[in-house]
Amino acid sequence: MRLRVALLACLFAALTSPVLQARDSAAPPLPDTGDKAAPAKPAAKPTPPAAIAVQDIADRADTDERYAEQVIAVATTAGTSAMKSLEQRLQKIDASTEARGRDFHYDELKLLPAPRLESLERYWAFEARRFEALRREMREASQPYTDAAAELARRRADWDLTRQALAQDRVSQALVERTTGVTALLQEANDKLSVPLERQLALGRRANAVDAQITAGQKSVAAAIAYSDRRLGRIDSPPLWTLKADHERGKDALDNTRLALGIEFAFLGEYGASNLGNQRVLHLFEILLLPMMLWLWWRARRRTREGHPPADPASARVLARPFSTWLLLSMLAMLVLEPDAPLLIHQFAMLVALVPLLRLLPPHSKEFLGPWPYVASALYLLNRLAFLLLGNLFLYRWYHVGLTVLALGLMAWLAWRARKVDVADLRGYLGPILQGAAWFAVLVLAIAATSNMFGNLTLAEMLTSGLIDSGYMALVVYAGITVFIALLGQLLPKPDGRGLRVLRTHAPQILHVASRAAALAGALGWLFYTANRFRIYRPIHDTVERIVTASIQVGEIELSLGSLLVFVLGLVLAVTVARLVRFLLREQVLPTMSLPRGVDNSIASLTYYALLFVGLLAALAAAGFQIGQLTFLFGAMGVGIGLGLQDVVKNFVSGLILMFERPVQPGDVVDVSGTSGRVGEIGMRATTIRTFDGADVVVPNGMLLADKFTNWTLHDQHRRIDIAVGVAYGSDPERVAGLLLEVVKGTPGVVDVPAPAVLFSGFGASSLDFAVRGWTHDFDNWPTIRSQLATRLYAALVQAGIEIPFPQQDLHLRSVSDEVARRLRGPDGATDATPA
């Protein structure tokens, strides 16, 4: 809350500073000192007064007289309009806060319902923020006058010492008179300046009184809210069956309600007239959203006529209802951008969103929601109408009981109805969750009805209203997320369309991440809203605040859970921002530049690690650490580096060298220490290589620099293909070489430059050996090209009748037996062996 208020105050100051400057332009600034040696603003350690040298009296007198005359002129004529404006604004705040403090004392605040107390709390927070902005302007307006008064005092002290020194020395009477005249003029300027200073001091005293009144009002409302929370478990009304119409009590309740509503409307008027920065942002969002919705509606109709309707029924429903979409998103933006707005604004936004909500729910929601949207909307409307009966406690109690019983019956009917529908497999885990939530709502409403019957009206109101409001808010959030996702899907460019390259390439991933982020934000917002409606947000917030602010002192370092959480969140934010910047550089910025090979990866990686380092320092600073307090940690790291982290440092430095020299880049095919594969990512410590078998091998960067490695794609994608071919003895070598060369040149993928070649490499044991060499520029497909080339070579040799021999030997028998000879001769008497 403090961070949000501070951001809103800064935005308000930035947006209103031109107006303030224009308004204060009628008040000319106080003059510069004209003395280069003496600054206009007092230093942190002011220099002691000193007497002016005799030879410098004339020049210094002229300078100080001009300064005094300028101060007199400004103090006499300037600042009137600015001071009146500040006084009028302070008067308005004073009158408003005094009226609120007069209307409600602590005893009267305890009688107000919790929503009215929360609205008053917002009112006092708004007044505190408005008063702080006014006080900041008052300080800025009074600062020049206080600086001028200090400067006049400094100069007058110098002249007093000078006059005393001249009285002791025998100098010209003209110098003495000159000194006396300058001193008198400086005193006159100081007297003139005291008038606006006194006026500003009086304004400051009034501001202190207003500040005390605002602080007292905030404390009173906080105490009343705490008292209201404590009496949740107490009986605060008679049992319902003994209740009688008490007109006096009802009249008091009605008067308090009218008074609270009067304050609410007054708060609404003041809030609307303040024109804060978040209000301007909301108005700008609403102005820009409407034409965009009309343009999307027109484009969707045109595409439908062309035969390209939206594929998603939810998108079609959203695009067909541009005004309902604009209204729903505007009301959600009001809840998000104006969290501290008057309660009437939020209730108005929720009521206005009712009709667009029902019109924009996606068709598939009927599968698991059924009639719940209509039930939740009707119950919310009936709950808002309960304030009309606050003047009659008898009717109000019975109306509230009836509303609770009606809600209980509807919840029980919905839960029983869900048993007849198979919700176990309905959209994953959503069906069982909704069914369990319905039965839990039945239990809560039963407790609320019982509490109302026995006289605990505060608990009954909280349970019934909290359940109805949180259920309706869940419906609003669900519809808002659905509309947001549908619009984002329509705004993202298609892969074959125009737009940013990163959006066209990664549109599905961006839509998925944005959907999950929107769902997470909506769930967190709903949880905060529900916790507040059930009056458990404040206890949880106070408990968590006490836990995270508890600190432990370790030497000069003060540790707390909050600082650790801030450090972790800062580190996560730094990693997320660094990854996002690296992604944008790689996908959108660097591909559009003409950079040398590998420079884009080096820029993206170095930027990533630089942002991580800066984010680490920022996270440490945000957590409250100082570099001086971490001296022992850095010393320990130095000892660790000297003893056992040499390899880590060596790999880190090697990673930097690899990024600057760029001998290897992601996508290169390398051979490192017997490992062949494609480089995946070059980190600061190690490089990942994905082998052709699908394994990921992590190679330390130091190994890439210390050992030699082969980079097949360092400068280009060229690869030579070598195939050894052997033909039978007796073949014509020139014919074989020409045939093989013709086949190589005609193979797809083999380039002409460098020219392919066929070399007669030698005489083998069984063949004439030829070496076939060709080049390809398609490194990724060179195994396929080599296979095709080998197949074509074999087919060409077979077709030409050239034999491809296989290893064989001739056996010469010197003597064999007769039986073996008969067997070798065969049945026809022929023989393959000749006995010796």
Side-chain angles (χ1 to χ4, degrees), residues 733-748:
E734 293 184 358
R735 180 189 174 205
V736 173
L739 178 63
L740 296 179
L741 184 60
E742 181 182 354
V743 173
V744 175
K745 291 182 178 180
T747 301

Side-chain angles (χ1 to χ4, degrees), residues 647-659:
D647 291 338
V648 175
V649 176
K650 181 182 71 173
N651 292 327
F652 179 81
V653 175
S654 299
L656 292 176
I657 295 174
L658 289 175
M659 290 183 183

Side-chain angles (χ1 to χ4, degrees), residues 393-404:
L393 184 61
F394 179 81
L395 294 179
Y396 177 77
R397 288 277 301 275
W398 279 106
Y399 180 86
H400 205 274
V401 169
L403 178 62
T404 304

